[in-house]
């Protein structure tokens, strides 16, 4: 498998990589889902305080935290922004120009005695996070550490037949107290403060997830995205047997609308599709779950939920549909 082959066979609704990362409608949702998962893991559910800011505002933010007395170590500063730093330049023909890509990073300030342990802990945590959102977790690995006088760095990469893609870099910097936390109250007797930074490229990560999900056989090629990152989680289809009355068809269409609104109100993305165009459109959406409704559903409330990956169908009551879809998207 070559990178160019994958990009050619991907729908333009996802991603093109010519002069830069160019996303279609589904690609933008995919990128947003990855960013939301990153934010939840690294900011919302962090075991210590992480404050959102910008790289050019780190010093001001730290001073604001000190003034508010909420700068107790450890704490982190997070930023989501575009970067012009070169990543994976050997994989693309960028005419010697760095491709702008979106990065998400957290810099954690901590006591110098605990920094090295945090550095190794972040390596394990971040590699495990990437492995949870792909089909083949074993493709992610840590590179050899690069060591300097007062710093150390290591990359997380994904392995493919066409080459390795760096998705994240983790840095450890000893004694940053004089750089970031200078004020008139600091003195040389204070404990050293170190920083551990992890920077993930959301754009390169998005490309990795697409390549990881791309399946090609002798007869066809398709995309099997992990449900948790899929742009849309489900689509509904009306299954008709013979010539049903107009009232039955109308009731089934109303049930489809109800299910769509039910899932959307719970944050589970869906797409409404005309039944006459269902087969053609569903192939391009790569939705992980297809919900089938029929005349029996109107009486019992039971619908069928078919997994795109396993092709197995389960019978689920409408009242349990949200929990069923959500549990498979964790």
């Amino acid at each position: 498998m070559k990178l160019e082959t994958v990009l050619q066979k991907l729908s333009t609704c996802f991603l093109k990589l010519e002069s830069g990362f160019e996303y279609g409608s589904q690609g933008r949702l995919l990128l947003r889902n990855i960013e939301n998962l990153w934010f939840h893991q690294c900011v919302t559910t962090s075991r210590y305080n992480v404050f959102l800011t910008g790289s050019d505002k780190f010093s001001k933010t730290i001073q604001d935290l000190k003034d508010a007395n909420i700068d107790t170590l450890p704490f982190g500063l997070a930023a989501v922004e575009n970067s012009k730093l070169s990543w994976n330049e050997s994989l693309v023909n960028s005419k010697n120009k760095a491709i702008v890509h979106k990065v998400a990073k957290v810099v954690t300030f901590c006591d110098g005695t605990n920094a090295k342990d945090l550095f190794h802990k972040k390596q394990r945590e971040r590699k495990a996070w990437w492995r949870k959102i792909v089909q083949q977790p074993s493709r992610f690995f840590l590179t050899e550490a690069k060591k300097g006088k007062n710093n150390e760095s290591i990359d997380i990469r994904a392995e493919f037949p066409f080459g390795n893609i760096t998705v994240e870099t983790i840095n450890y910097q000893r004694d940053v107290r004089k750089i970031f936390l200078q004020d008139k109250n600091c003195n040389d007797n204070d404990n050293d403060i170190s920083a551990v930074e992890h920077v993930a490229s959301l754009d390169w990560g998005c490309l990795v997830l697409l390549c990881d999900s791309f399946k090609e056989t002798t007869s066809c090629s398709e995309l099997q995205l992990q449900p948790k990152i899929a742009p849309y989680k489900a689509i509904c289809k009306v299954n008709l047997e013979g010539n049903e009355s107009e009232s039955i068809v109308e009731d089934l269409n109303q049930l489809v609308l109800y299910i769509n609104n039910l899932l959307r109100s719970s944050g589970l993305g869906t797409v409404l599709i005309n039944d006459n165009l269902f087969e053609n459109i569903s192939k391009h959406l790569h939705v992980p779950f297809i919900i089938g409704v029929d005349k029996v559903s109107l009486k019992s409330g039971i619908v069928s939920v078919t997994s795109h990956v396993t092709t197995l169908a389960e019978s689920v009551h409408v009242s349990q549909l949200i929990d069923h879809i959500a549990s498979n998207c964790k």
Side-chain angles (χ1 to χ4, degrees):
M1 178 179 66
K2 295 182 179 180
L3 178 58
E4 294 80 5
T5 302
V6 177
L7 292 172
Q8 287 173 1
K9 293 190 176 183
L10 281 176
S11 167
T12 54
C13 290
F14 278 100
L15 175 65
K16 292 191 301 180
L17 187 58
E18 295 174 356
S19 58
F21 289 93
E22 301 175 37
Y23 292 96
S25 57
Q26 292 190 73
R28 292 187 184 94
L29 285 175
L30 176 62
L31 181 65
R32 178 169 180 164
N33 287 346
I34 297 171
E35 181 178 339
N36 288 341
L37 287 171
W38 178 91
F39 195 90
H40 177 78
Q41 171 77 17
C42 298
V43 180
T44 306
T45 62
S46 173
R47 289 181 292 275
Y48 45 80
N49 291 331
V50 177
F51 304 96
L52 191 63
T53 183
S55 293
D56 59 340
K57 296 181 175 61
F58 270 26
S59 296
K60 182 181 184 305
T61 302
I62 290 173
Q63 189 58 52
D64 290 343
L65 297 177
K66 291 174 71 66
D67 293 342
N69 293 318
I70 51 175
D71 62 331
T72 303
L73 298 176
F75 70 87
L77 298 181
V80 179
E81 56 202 6
N82 289 329
S83 172
K84 293 183 179 180
L85 296 178
S86 297
W87 282 47
N88 307 300
E89 60 270 14
S90 62
L91 291 175
V92 293
N93 180 18
S94 57
K95 297 180 180 178
N96 298 320
K97 292 183 179 180
I99 294 179
V100 176
H101 57 115
K102 193 174 188 180
V103 298
K105 66 180 178 181
V106 174
V107 179
T108 303
F109 300 99
C110 60
D111 187 280
T113 58
N114 301 319
K116 198 62 181 288
D117 288 340
L118 180 62
F119 177 57
H120 292 296
K121 187 175 183 179
K122 286 298 180 184
Q123 294 174 34
R124 296 191 297 271
E125 286 181 352
R126 297 306 303 148
K127 185 175 73 170
W129 183 82
W130 284 104
R131 287 183 166 185
K132 287 180 181 178
I133 59 176
V134 295
Q135 298 288 358
Q136 300 182 50
S138 61
R139 71 170 70 254
F140 287 98
F141 66 95
L142 294 169
T143 63
E144 291 290 331
K146 301 174 185 176
K147 297 183 179 180
K149 182 179 179 181
N150 288 308
N151 58 74
E152 188 173 343
S153 66
I154 198 166
D155 294 334
I156 300 175
R157 292 179 181 169
E159 185 178 21
F160 293 97
F162 53 76
N164 299 330
I165 299 179
T166 299
V167 293
E168 186 156 351
T169 182
I170 305 168
N171 304 303
Y172 162 47
Q173 180 69 46
R174 283 185 281 272
D175 193 9
V176 299
R177 176 175 56 89
K178 294 181 180 179
I179 301 175
F180 292 103
L181 301 179
Q182 275 190 335
D183 67 28
K184 60 184 179 182
N185 296 319
C186 285
N187 60 69
D188 291 336
N189 295 323
D190 289 336
N191 292 332
D192 287 342
I193 296 173
S194 298
V196 176
E197 175 190 61
H198 54 92
V199 185
S201 175
L202 300 179
D203 286 314
W204 284 106
C206 188
L207 177 62
V208 163
L209 297 181
L210 287 171
C211 292
D212 171 79
S213 304
F214 183 77
K215 311 297 179 184
E216 188 171 31
T217 64
T218 54
S219 58
C220 66
S221 59
E222 62 176 344
L223 205 61
Q224 294 182 353
L225 290 167
Q226 273 269 28
K228 67 175 63 178
I229 62 170
Y232 302 104
K233 309 305 181 187
I235 50 177
C236 289
K237 179 184 180 183
V238 175
N239 297 320
L240 298 175
E241 296 181 2
N243 295 322
E244 300 289 357
S245 65
E246 290 186 6
S247 61
I248 293 294
V249 173
E250 177 61 24
D251 288 343
L252 287 172
N253 288 331
Q254 289 299 316
L255 178 58
V256 167
L257 284 174
Y258 171 77
I259 290 174
N260 270 275
N261 292 334
L262 185 69
L263 294 176
R264 288 177 179 179
S265 64
S266 299
L268 299 170
T270 64
V271 182
L272 280 169
I273 297 179
N274 186 310
D275 286 337
N276 295 327
L277 304 174
F278 184 88
E279 294 301 327
N280 289 331
I281 296 178
S282 62
K283 291 179 181 178
H284 295 286
L285 290 177
H286 308 287
V287 177
F289 300 104
I290 297 176
I291 302 170
V293 301
D294 55 24
K295 187 164 62 176
V296 176
S297 303
L298 296 174
K299 297 180 180 179
S300 64
I302 302 293
V303 299
S304 67
V305 180
T306 303
S307 168
H308 173 67
V309 176
T310 66
T311 69
L312 297 176
E314 297 182 65
S315 296
V316 181
H317 194 273
V318 172
S319 62
Q320 299 174 330
L321 194 55
I322 291 175
D323 291 339
H324 180 80
I325 300 293
S327 65
N328 284 282
C329 293
K330 290 182 179 179

